[in-house]
Amino acid sequence: MVAEFVGARGRAAVDDFLDELTRPPVADSLEQGEVADALRAGDYERAFEILLARAGDPGERDEARRVMVELFSELGQGHPLATSYRKRLATLLY
């Protein structure tokens, strides 16, 4: 099972649900680089480490955070890597 909902939903909620399911992988939205290469190789942990290091730089912080949040969603909120790196990102930023 990838995702589900139970009960009646409005059109906007169903549209959002379908958009989420058919969204391309995060790796496809990135320019070539270390993070994109790691993601295409399936090495999410390496990608998170690179992004976390970038999040420590004020000039790259917003973009790194944005990509990490997209990856958390791609992996699923309960995935161990998403849980671990979400905490590490929050500690770094706040």
Side-chain angles (χ1 to χ4, degrees), residues 13-72:
V14 172
D15 288 344
D16 289 343
F17 176 78
L18 293 174
D19 287 345
E20 185 71 26
L21 288 178
T22 58
R23 182 175 56 176
V26 175
D28 291 351
S29 68
L30 299 175
E31 299 288 327
Q32 289 290 51
E34 287 181 295
V35 175
D37 291 343
L39 292 174
R40 288 187 182 101
D43 192 350
Y44 281 84
E45 189 162 12
R46 182 169 152 243
F48 279 130
E49 285 295 329
I50 294 165
L51 289 165
L52 198 61
R54 290 180 183 175
D57 177 353
E60 296 187 55
R61 177 171 291 151
D62 290 339
E63 179 64 13
R65 185 197 59 77
R66 182 192 66 75
V67 173
M68 288 182 80
V69 169
E70 285 184 21
L71 289 172
F72 298 153

